Amino acid sequence: MAGAAWVPEEAEVDGVADGRVVEAGGGALVVRRAPRERARAAVLVLHGGQENGRRPARPWQPAALRMRPFLSAAASVSSPRDVLIGQVRYRYRGWNDDADPLQDTLRALDELRGRAGDVSVVLVGHSMGGRAALRAAADPSVRGVLALAPWCPPGDPLAGLTGTRIIVLHGDRDRVTEPADSATYVRGAREAGAQAGMVLLRGGDHAMLRRSRDWHRASAAAIRRLLRPERDLEGWTAEACETDGPLLR
């Protein structure tokens, strides 16, 4: 597909991804990097899971470990002075009938407001975490969502998305979640008032191992732009939101 050149920014490794937890009580919000001053924004990362499962979610499980490079990406493009980096802690590994990861995400957002006030939030979610992030996009604190290979089953609600920015990255070799469902979601989100776009990565798989550097760099670029809701999107993020259908890269 013709369009702007694919030139993602570099995402340098940051100590956020080394396993350290700055603050973690018994709540849903785990703080990986506390800002040195008063927070003006936050990035919360949501890992994947499974459709059903009541076993506890643990930070050493592969789905959680897979998101460490994306914590680094978020840290590399945001100021340690005033941007909080955190994760959502799930109670269970599965989505289940009660949309448990969504409830955990909403609790984390409430805890963040209690800690930092009304700051702009970017959610970064993979697979089941992508579904939770997209469902939580209607929360008034959420200004942007980066959904990585998200689980987007038909029929999920699209209300409350007016003014929200949504970027979806999906691999065309994903055999776990459907890129076509992501594309359908993006079309619906636009109709619901969101500024939404999708990039389809050639050769990309669900685990984000193939073309891993491109996943990480593109995520860093998207997070950088989503953290600036007062500015227009630019480059490939703007093109994705203006193009009919996914951009192929």
Side-chain angles (χ1 to χ4, degrees):
M1 180 179 294
W6 175 251
V7 186
E9 288 92 337
E10 287 284 350
E12 297 178 356
V13 175
D14 188 276
V16 168
D18 67 2
R20 293 179 297 115
V21 175
V22 178
E23 294 180 38
L29 176 65
V30 177
V31 178
R32 291 287 179 177
R33 186 183 76 189
R36 293 195 293 263
E37 301 176 8
R38 181 177 178 84
R40 67 165 181 83
V43 180
L44 300 186
V45 173
L46 296 78
H47 65 74
Q50 55 198 43
E51 185 172 355
N52 295 292
R54 294 285 180 180
R55 296 179 64 184
R58 302 299 190 194
W60 56 82
Q61 291 164 348
L65 295 176
R66 187 173 291 127
M67 299 309 290
R68 285 190 177 182
F70 298 93
L71 286 165
S72 292
S76 72
V77 296
S78 61
S79 170
R81 178 174 57 84
D82 57 5
V83 179
L84 180 147
I85 306 293
Q87 290 176 285
V88 175
R89 176 162 47 197
Y90 304 144
R91 292 161 295 156
Y92 309 116
R93 297 181 68 176
W95 183 266
N96 306 315
D97 292 336
D98 297 323
D100 290 312
L102 170 61
Q103 303 309 318
D104 296 332
T105 303
L106 296 176
R107 288 192 302 118
L109 289 168
D110 282 340
E111 292 169 18
L112 177 62
R113 278 187 286 267
R115 172 196 176 97
D118 188 18
V119 299
S120 298
V121 179
V122 173
L123 300 178
V124 180
H126 173 244
S127 192
M128 181 187 75
R131 184 183 187 184
L134 292 170
R135 289 282 299 272
D139 183 279
S141 293
V142 177
R143 303 294 192 272
V145 174
L146 172 61
L148 307 168
W151 175 25
C152 296
D156 269 6
L158 293 165
L161 296 181
T162 300
T164 305
R165 290 174 167 175
I166 297 171
I167 302 295
V168 175
L169 301 179
H170 215 132
D172 66 358
R173 293 189 182 180
D174 197 321
R175 300 296 181 262
V176 178
T177 57
E178 289 289 342
D181 289 343
S182 288
T184 298
Y185 176 89
V186 167
R187 288 194 296 271
R190 289 179 178 181
E191 293 172 359
Q195 186 178 10
M198 176 177 170
V199 172
L200 192 62
L201 291 175
R202 288 188 181 94
D205 63 338
H206 188 72
M208 304 180 294
L209 296 176
R210 294 192 180 106
R211 297 189 61 183
S212 59
R213 287 175 63 84
D214 286 333
W215 282 98
H216 303 156
R217 291 173 177 176
S219 295
I223 293 166
R224 183 199 301 274
R225 288 157 183 164
L226 291 173
L227 277 170
R228 300 168 178 170
E230 74 284 356
R231 300 185 183 181
D232 292 337
L233 293 176
E234 57 186 19
W236 64 266
T237 55
E239 184 184 1
C241 291
E242 295 166 356
T243 303
D244 291 335
L247 291 181
L248 185 60
R249 291 290 185 260

